[in-house]
Amino acid sequence: MEGEETAAYLFRRCLPRPRDAIQFLNLCQETAWLINGRDRITEADVVQAGRQFSDWKLKDLALEYLVAHPFLKHLFPLFQNTGYVVPRAALDSRFEAAAESLHRLFPAYADALTLPGIIDVLFAVGFLGVRRGNDVVFAGGDDLPVQAHETEFHVHPCFRAALGATSAIDLRHFEPLVATNRLVQGIPQGFADNVGATVIARDHRLVLELRRSCHSILAQTSRAVNLAPDARDEITQQINRVLDEVNTMATHTGSTFYLEDRLLVTTHYFDTLAAQLLAGGLDDTTGAGEVVRRIEEESRRLRRLAGGSYGSSGSSARS
């Protein structure tokens, strides 16, 4: 299942209760047989069943704790349509925006409706896990409650599909343009040979500098050992998308696809990426600070290069 051993994939998406596993497995079977008319469960059936199962479990969780925590379902929007890795700083910001409304709706629970209070509740009911070392721990057994110094939380995989939180962090995906018809016409016929050579040399240099920036960011990301592995993978995936386009650009130097314009589009994407990481609470406290700074540095370097692409090197000392 999506590159993961099947049993691990299934049971990781259930709360640790036999009835949940049985319910998920039955739903996979029913989706294949009753909905899609198959006598064998496929990966597509499991994914389809997983979305429905996630919706069920999110609603069930609110109902299960309705008496003890009647405000529970009103906390779920804090995690909707965003990354499932949630730094404490980001959760603090989201909760602050919702606190007044929550206190007005549930005045008798004002003492519990604080940031530490909701973290404790969400951990206790199995909605949130906390990162401890290289592991993410969910409530169960003799696990400690969330400690004040712990700063990184993960939404349980059971609830991610229902919340639209299926990526580790909320990053805008890089959209490559090299495959579109904006690209290749080649050097116009009649161009003087020396002018054409200048265009090709300049374009080649821009491609090399773009590639260098991608590798620099990837190297810094790989060194961010304190960054959540899922978040590191998400950043790496997006930078690799940029790098894939850069490598394709190398075959089109001297074309009417203006590489200077694409370089500026890439710097804008880098700026957006850095801003989204910071807005998501991924700063020095999460191990992402150096990654953010490297992305910002490479964006500035490339922007200088675009301004001086006919003259100055635009190179930086760092790699």
Side-chain angles (χ1 to χ4, degrees):
M1 281 300 305
E2 301 180 350
E4 187 176 356
E5 196 273 328
T6 302
Y9 177 96
L10 290 167
F11 297 136
R12 194 165 62 85
R13 285 162 173 76
C14 300
L15 294 179
R17 301 183 291 207
R19 68 176 184 271
D20 281 21
I22 293 169
Q23 186 180 30
F24 192 9
L25 291 167
N26 284 339
L27 184 58
C28 291
Q29 185 184 48
E30 290 167 7
T31 301
W33 177 251
L34 298 178
I35 297 178
N36 295 322
R38 287 190 272 262
D39 59 5
R40 182 180 178 87
I41 300 170
T42 68
E43 184 168 340
D45 296 322
V46 177
V47 171
Q48 183 179 348
R51 289 192 292 267
Q52 185 174 352
F53 180 73
S54 183
D55 286 336
W56 286 355
K57 291 293 100 180
L58 192 64
K59 292 172 183 174
D60 284 351
L61 192 70
L63 290 173
E64 183 177 351
Y65 292 97
L66 184 61
V67 175
H69 309 301
F71 52 81
L72 187 59
K73 73 174 182 179
H74 295 269
L75 300 179
F76 297 156
L78 301 179
F79 305 91
Q80 206 157 23
N81 298 322
T82 186
Y84 61 76
V85 177
V86 187
R88 185 183 287 265
L91 185 52
D92 187 11
S93 176
R94 297 177 203 172
F95 176 70
E96 185 179 355
E100 183 179 350
S101 175
L102 287 167
H103 290 162
R104 186 172 62 252
L105 288 170
F106 303 98
Y109 293 86
D111 290 343
L113 290 171
T114 63
L115 182 64
I118 68 164
I119 289 173
D120 287 345
V121 168
L122 292 168
F123 179 74
V125 302
F127 180 87
L128 280 186
V130 60
R131 184 181 176 193
R132 290 178 176 155
N134 293 324
D135 296 324
V136 178
V137 177
F138 291 90
D142 298 324
D143 291 318
L144 288 171
V146 176
Q147 304 297 294
H149 66 274
E150 292 174 321
T151 60
E152 183 183 308
F153 308 105
H154 290 230
V155 176
H156 194 288
C158 181
F159 308 113
R160 293 173 187 173
L163 293 165
T166 53
S167 298
I169 47 181
D170 184 23
L171 295 181
R172 182 171 71 84
H173 288 197
F174 181 75
E175 299 297 337
L177 295 181
V178 290
T180 72
N181 58 12
R182 294 181 52 190
L183 207 139
V184 193
Q185 300 298 331
I187 296 176
Q189 198 156 22
F191 242 40
D193 289 343
N194 61 336
V195 174
T198 299
V199 170
I200 292 174
R202 180 205 63 203
D203 286 358
H204 180 68
R205 179 165 155 257
L206 293 180
V207 168
L208 289 177
E209 294 295 344
L210 277 165
R211 186 182 290 131
R212 174 187 169 186
S213 289
C214 290
H215 284 298
S216 178
I217 295 168
L218 288 171
Q220 187 65 59
T221 303
S222 69
R223 290 194 292 269
V225 294
N226 292 325
L227 183 60
D230 290 357
R232 184 166 57 244
D233 291 347
E234 185 74 20
I235 296 168
T236 298
Q237 181 183 24
Q238 296 311 318
I239 298 300
N240 276 328
R241 286 170 65 90
V242 180
L243 186 59
D244 287 344
E245 178 174 76
V246 171
N247 289 334
T248 307
M249 285 178 185
T251 66
H252 299 299
T253 54
S255 74
T256 56
F257 176 79
Y258 294 106
L259 286 175
E260 290 173 18
D261 291 344
R262 193 56 184 153
L263 183 146
L264 291 173
V265 169
T266 303
T267 64
H268 178 68
Y269 177 73
F270 285 168
D271 289 339
T272 301
L273 191 65
Q276 285 184 303
L277 290 171
L278 290 174
L282 292 167
D283 52 19
D284 285 318
T285 64
T286 66
E290 286 298 323
V291 177
V292 171
R293 283 187 283 276
R294 180 55 60 90
I295 293 171
E296 291 172 337
E297 286 173 8
E298 291 302 328
S299 177
R300 288 192 294 269
R301 189 181 73 82
L302 291 173
R303 194 171 283 107
R304 288 196 302 271
L305 181 66
S309 58
Y310 293 96
S312 64
S313 69
S315 295
S316 67
R318 300 183 68 175
S319 62

